[in-house]
Amino acid sequence: WRRSPLQLQHHRLDVPRAARFVPRQAPLSLFVFSDGEEPVGYARAVAPPRQRRQAAEAIERLRDGVFATAGLDYRNELASWLAPEIGLVLLEPPAPDQPEEGGGWLLALRSRDDAGARRFLQRFWQTRSLAGTDLQVTSYRGMGLISGRGALLGRRPVPLATALVADDLVLIASGRGVLEQALDVSQIDDLNLAAQPRLVEGLEQLGQGAALLLARPG
């Protein structure tokens, strides 16, 4: 039973670890308390027998598409090391006159072990460097930041920046400025989401859940 994908619906809600890096004024935050495979198994388990394959494939397409939007290949770059708790934060809406540019975003990924996260970042930037991406390596608040432009094959390169926190939390952002902001708010409880009293109280009231979605009225 502990290995059953149905356990997702009985997960106890706690403050997400990635919430420490999220500004309180972020318009939209989504935290999924699973890895990339558990939701697929859950969809297969709860779907009617004749629709189990289609349900699992639909979740796989959604998962792969979300990561591809951030320039990531789930199967080849993430599947081998990704651990439960995935965070996605939108920091600002797209500009009305430039909707194709999108807005600032932050992706937080946990690794099953220290080596997995480090291997991912090494291969991530090595692949993009070989494709012609100019990399910038800087230090900010005692952490190493790598930034450049990257994309999946056939997509337009976009600004990207990464940092590794405590050897097992990978932060990927839509630019170095976004990542620096995340590291700034992580140092000040009055600015980050993890220390917001209303969030802590709300999670205690909700009790259980497989994901947490926070959206501001705008």
Side-chain angles (χ1 to χ4, degrees):
W1 167 244
R2 287 194 298 269
R3 298 178 181 178
S4 169
L6 296 178
Q7 279 290 81
L8 266 182
Q9 61 193 9
H10 299 292
H11 180 275
R12 177 173 176 78
L13 288 176
D14 295 312
V15 175
R17 182 178 171 194
R20 174 185 164 197
F21 302 91
V22 180
R24 292 188 182 184
Q25 70 273 20
L28 186 71
S29 304
L30 173 64
F31 304 97
V32 181
F33 300 102
S34 67
D35 58 17
E37 298 298 330
E38 289 175 337
V40 177
Y42 181 83
R44 184 182 292 112
V46 300
R50 293 184 179 181
Q51 298 177 4
R52 287 175 180 169
R53 179 179 177 182
Q54 296 94 318
E57 290 176 348
I59 297 299
E60 287 178 343
R61 288 194 300 270
L62 177 62
R63 174 201 64 198
D64 295 350
V66 169
F67 283 119
T69 302
L72 298 169
D73 184 331
Y74 171 79
R75 295 185 182 279
N76 294 321
E77 294 185 311
L78 305 177
S80 64
W81 60 272
L82 197 61
E85 192 181 308
I86 300 168
L88 174 63
V89 183
L90 301 184
L91 298 173
E92 58 187 29
D97 57 338
Q98 293 181 317
E100 71 280 357
E101 294 299 327
W105 54 264
L106 175 71
L107 187 64
L109 306 174
R110 290 188 63 182
S111 175
R112 296 172 190 164
D113 52 63
D114 299 352
R118 292 187 178 278
R119 282 197 304 267
F120 160 71
L121 287 175
Q122 181 180 6
R123 294 172 181 172
F124 177 86
W125 287 115
Q126 184 179 50
T127 300
R128 286 151 181 81
S129 178
L130 292 174
T133 297
D134 292 329
L135 305 184
Q136 291 183 328
V137 181
T138 58
S139 179
Y140 190 78
R141 290 192 176 273
M143 294 187 184
L145 271 62
I146 305 176
S147 58
R149 299 179 69 87
L152 294 179
L153 185 64
R155 291 179 176 266
R156 180 169 56 89
V158 296
L160 293 172
T162 64
L164 180 61
V165 180
D167 293 329
D168 68 341
L169 182 64
V170 176
L171 300 179
I172 306 175
S174 58
R176 189 172 59 186
V178 173
L179 193 52
E180 290 177 350
Q181 180 189 16
L183 295 176
D184 285 341
V185 301
S186 72
Q187 303 299 311
I188 306 173
D189 285 346
D190 288 340
L191 297 181
N192 68 55
L193 190 62
Q196 187 178 44
R198 291 179 59 190
L199 174 63
V200 177
E201 295 171 2
L203 293 179
E204 291 178 353
Q205 293 176 2
L206 290 171
Q208 296 180 334
L212 174 66
L213 176 67
L214 304 173
R216 297 179 66 85

